[in-house]
Amino acid sequence: MSLFEYSPAPESRAVVGIAESYGLFIDGRMVDPRDGTRFKTISPSTEEVLADVAEAGERDVDAAVRAARSAYTRVWSKTSGRERGKYLFRIARLVQDRARELAVLETLDNGKPIRETRDVDIPLVAAHFFYHAGWADKLGHAGLGPHPRPHGVAAQVIPWNFPLLMLAWKVAPALAAGNTVVLKPAETTPLTALAFAEICQQADLPPGVVNVVTGAGQTGRLLVEHPGVDKVAFTGSTEVGRLIAASVAGTAKKATLELGGKAANIVFDDAPIDQAVEGIVRGVFFNQGHVCCAGTRLLVQESVVDEVIASLKHRLATLRLGDPMDKNTDIGAINSAVQLRRIRELSDVGEAEGATRWSPECTLPARGFWFAPTVFTGVAQTHRIAREEIFGPVLSVLTFRTPDEALAKANNTPYGLSAGVWTEKGSRILWMAQHLRAGVVWANTFNHFDPTSPFGGYKESGYGREGGRHGLAAYLVPDETVEVS
Ligand code: NDP
């Protein structure tokens, strides 16, 4: 029995006005889809219908790409870096002004806890626009020669796990570099992208510089395959990433792909265990585990495994699962019924393969999509739960004896997005970081994000970087008159 009970601390929904239906944002205006097709977006924590959203078909995508091309040719390519920077600063400030509303909207549409949208997603969205606003008039110092050029029209397809943040990761560098954009948000989380369209209007961004076409996978396919697109940026599954890579192969389109992961979070026996346990929790239970760089494979040195597991179970028993709008909530709803089914299936496979399954006692709400935080011990490298991306609050625990063994196990994956190392020994951190095949390596922390720091993967986790100077480079053509280092 707990020593005390929490009183509910619900965030108010009154700060956000959700329209009954939404159109597509093309050439600076909200317009109806040409063939009239629509779908519903629901709140995953209650299954309540939030709004009716337009599904962009071929003619809509074509209109959006044409609007982006025309805005590029007529306005944006002729707008100075300093002016573009002003628009980005304006957008960043509007995001801050509307932060509470955006956090509530994201929580309603995505199911993630308000504590995370309020303290992580939305502040990072503003930070990305501020950071890239600063770059807009300094592109000649990005290491790509004195006069790097934009590509032109960027097609951007994003997933549902960090809807507005993924938009910011894509739109901010594209605009700073002088490209125009057609963005497709995920089918289950279109609302914050549509609120962002409104912010573009408020910021007086020239019509057509940003266009938002909502829809499902087919809309994304139409967009990336459109011949009027110069650059494709995608975040999502490795499966769809492969289709996109195949579709742009042999064309002049540039592409960056940020795909799946199966990160190792490695705990050595000299690590401060309490801190490491916090890092493990943050690594895999943050955002219900819907995180491509989540530390889903916990590698613990054999001599401390019992202590780490005991401490982890104790900590997990204190996590609060439930209403994402409650400020006390740590674990919100799974984003969709489809995703919940995937998590359940793979977890059942884990049990069938012989791993031991454990979850803290917690009551799941009757409506909505929910999955209790889950830990598998006794996991072997060959198990599917140690190899496949589950994209849910599920941790697989493996053990190792030596640093070499830890490294070999950590790198034994088709992915290579991120990794974590927990140890007091600085030289070991450096050695591990040098040898881990992962785009991001966190030392004595996990899941820290910063717009100045490049993020991206190796192997089946995709190619290209987002954030920092490297991320900016993906939206620029180097100046051919100089040798680029
Ligand atoms: P997808 O890769 O299908 O979705 C990502 C985005 O791509 C969405 O906007 C989606 O549209 C769109 N899309 C789907 N098919 C195509 C296509 N053929 N051409 C262009 N765009 C397309 O991921 P899911 O949402 O289906 O999730 C499946 C699995 O992918 C998860 O279980 C997880 O393992 C992984 N995933 C990884 C992410 C990451 O950040 N690395 C993010 C999301 C998922 P729509 O949503 O409308 O279908």
Side-chain angles (χ1 to χ4, degrees):
M1 201 182 85
S2 58
L3 290 177
F4 59 90
E5 293 295 329
Y6 286 82
S7 296
E11 173 59 277
S12 165
R13 298 181 57 142
V15 294
V16 58
I18 302 177
E20 247 171 58
S21 73
Y22 288 89
L24 306 164
F25 185 59
I26 297 177
D27 209 14
R29 289 182 308 122
M30 293 304 273
V31 296
D32 285 331
R34 298 189 180 201
D35 68 1
T37 313
R38 306 193 141 266
F39 62 97
K40 296 194 188 313
T41 185
I42 63 165
S43 172
S45 63
T46 58
E47 297 175 60
E48 163 204 357
V49 172
L50 294 172
D52 216 37
V53 181
E55 175 149 8
E58 197 166 351
R59 288 184 300 152
D60 303 303
V61 170
D62 185 54
V65 174
R66 282 173 193 279
R69 171 65 59 199
S70 159
Y72 177 73
T73 316
R74 288 187 297 104
V75 187
W76 205 238
S77 60
K78 296 181 180 147
T79 305
S80 69
R82 184 180 293 189
E83 281 301 309
R84 292 199 308 273
K86 279 193 207 167
Y87 285 108
L88 288 170
F89 275 122
R90 215 179 277 169
I91 290 172
R93 285 195 299 268
L94 285 163
V95 167
Q96 286 186 321
D97 286 351
R98 297 178 60 171
R100 188 155 166 231
E101 172 200 348
L102 293 170
V104 170
L105 190 58
E106 196 79 296
T107 286
L108 289 172
D109 205 19
N110 172 282
K112 63 170 81 188
I114 187 75
R115 209 162 52 81
E116 290 180 4
T117 51
R118 183 197 62 194
D119 298 347
V120 183
D121 294 62
I122 308 303
L124 276 173
V125 170
H128 270 270
F129 280 99
F130 277 121
Y131 173 73
H132 287 96
W135 265 118
D137 62 350
K138 303 173 193 70
L139 299 177
H141 304 280
L144 301 162
H147 304 292
R149 288 180 292 112
H151 290 290
V153 176
Q156 308 187 316
V157 178
I158 56 170
W160 42 263
N161 52 342
F162 293 94
L164 195 59
L165 184 56
M166 289 300 103
L167 175 152
W169 279 31
K170 299 227 167 350
V171 172
L175 299 193
N179 302 273
T180 56
V181 163
V182 182
L183 176 110
K184 195 207 79 77
E187 185 182 1
T188 57
T189 53
L191 295 185
T192 46
L194 293 165
F196 182 79
E198 226 177 81
I199 287 177
C200 292
Q201 288 174 325
Q202 270 182 290
D204 267 336
L205 194 69
V209 171
V210 169
N211 304 272
V212 178
V213 287
T214 45
Q218 167 72 354
T219 304
R221 192 180 63 73
L222 290 168
L223 176 57
V224 300
E225 290 179 1
H226 195 289
V229 159
D230 302 303
K231 146 95 191 158
V232 174
F234 171 77
T235 297
S237 62
T238 296
E239 195 190 347
V240 173
R242 278 200 189 97
L243 295 175
I244 292 177
S247 91
V248 300
T251 71
K253 293 175 193 171
K254 300 283 176 219
T256 39
L257 303 174
E258 201 267 273
L259 310 175
K262 193 74 193 174
N265 201 1
I266 308 161
V267 180
F268 285 95
D269 60 4
D270 65 339
I273 300 298
D274 285 353
Q275 281 177 36
V277 165
E278 284 309 307
I280 295 163
V281 172
R282 184 189 176 106
V284 71
F285 300 110
F286 168 63
N287 200 30
Q288 293 71 247
H290 299 330
V291 184
C292 47
C293 53
T296 47
R297 284 185 300 146
L298 176 64
L299 298 181
V300 190
Q301 198 150 16
E302 221 172 71
S303 50
V304 290
V305 69
D306 291 342
E307 187 186 347
V308 170
I309 298 301
S311 179
L312 179 64
K313 287 183 174 176
H314 181 72
R315 178 68 179 92
L316 290 182
T318 68
L319 292 183
R320 299 176 60 80
L321 176 146
D323 182 6
M325 289 286 279
D326 190 318
K327 293 168 201 152
N328 294 317
T329 295
D330 299 301
I331 305 218
I334 300 302
N335 180 252
S336 65
V338 174
Q339 190 59 29
L340 179 58
R341 197 159 55 240
R342 274 198 196 118
I343 299 169
R344 281 186 180 149
E345 274 169 17
L346 263 175
S347 300
D348 292 347
V349 166
E351 254 182 303
E353 284 177 327
T356 307
R357 180 176 182 161
W358 178 89
S359 290
E361 248 180 66
C362 69
T363 314
L364 303 183
R367 283 193 72 76
F369 316 127
W370 303 93
F371 197 84
T374 298
V375 177
F376 279 103
T377 48
V379 178
Q381 291 188 83
T382 48
H383 288 170
R384 279 182 64 194
I385 51 169
R387 307 199 64 77
E388 295 178 27
E389 188 174 49
I390 302 177
F391 226 61
V394 181
L395 177 69
S396 297
V397 186
L398 297 95
T399 58
F400 66 90
R401 289 184 184 170
T402 64
D404 281 327
E405 189 187 345
L407 189 65
K409 284 186 170 168
N411 285 338
N412 182 12
T413 167
Y415 295 110
L417 194 55
S418 66
V421 181
W422 296 84
T423 173
E424 292 276 52
K425 212 168 167 184
S427 58
R428 186 179 282 154
I429 291 173
L430 294 174
W431 184 81
M432 291 294 290
Q434 215 169 10
H435 293 91
L436 282 164
R437 294 289 292 157
V440 180
V441 179
W442 285 290
N444 294 329
T445 186
F446 210 96
N447 271 345
H448 263 291
F449 304 99
D450 190 297
T452 65
S453 174
F455 182 94
Y458 287 97
K459 302 192 283 186
E460 290 185 20
S461 292
Y463 45 77
R465 295 291 179 264
E466 292 186 298
R469 191 173 63 81
H470 302 77
L472 198 63
Y475 286 94
L476 289 166
V477 183
D479 189 331
E480 279 149 16
T481 58
V482 293
E483 209 170 289
V484 176
S485 57

